[in-house]
Amino acid sequence: LDGLFGAGIYLAENSSKSDEYCQPDAQGFCYMFLVRAVLGTPFEALQPRNNERRPPRMDSDKKRLYDSVIGVTSQTHPGAFLQNYREFIVYDRNQVYPELLVQFRRV
């Protein structure tokens, strides 16, 4: 629940964003997954949504939830708190399929 958007699976469209969270192992290798993800109908979040365990409810239908959350940047949405990288968050593990485990060293 400590993430900016709660207890979800956090995804990035740029490997440089994911690299910010990589901790090298004893041999200096870092790892990240390349995944396929289904976002469905996403909620575009301008501000943090701490302590969430699921996406918000849709305004038009209070019984239905959004399928995911996109943390948008101020580059495309003035007033958004994220600056450089969008974040994609899903709350159901069935929305993500790991394709590859990428091993790399920083140069």
Side-chain angles (χ1 to χ4, degrees), residues 23-31 103:
Q23 296 292 323
D25 65 12
Q27 292 79 36
F29 287 107
C30 291
Y31 302 88
Q103 176 188 40

Side-chain angles (χ1 to χ4, degrees), residues 3 5 30 70 82:
F5 300 99
C30 291
I70 298 177
L82 293 177

Side-chain angles (χ1 to χ4, degrees), residues 85-104:
Y85 298 106
R86 293 190 300 172
E87 295 188 21
F88 303 84
I89 303 89
V90 296
Y91 299 86
D92 180 347
R93 66 179 182 215
N94 294 310
Q95 290 177 255
V96 179
Y97 178 80
E99 289 278 337
L100 297 170
L101 176 61
V102 179
Q103 176 188 40
F104 65 98

Side-chain angles (χ1 to χ4, degrees), residues 15-32:
S15 61
S16 54
K17 172 66 176 177
S18 298
D19 179 61
E20 292 177 3
Y21 298 95
C22 292
Q23 296 292 323
D25 65 12
Q27 292 79 36
F29 287 107
C30 291
Y31 302 88
M32 70 175 71

Side-chain angles (χ1 to χ4, degrees), residues 8-14 17-18 33-39 68-69 71 85-90 95-97:
I9 300 168
Y10 287 68
L11 308 167
E13 61 191 327
N14 298 87
K17 172 66 176 177
S18 298
F33 284 105
L34 177 66
V35 304
R36 289 182 188 257
V38 178
L39 299 179
S68 60
V69 171
Y85 298 106
R86 293 190 300 172
E87 295 188 21
F88 303 84
I89 303 89
V90 296
Q95 290 177 255
V96 179
Y97 178 80

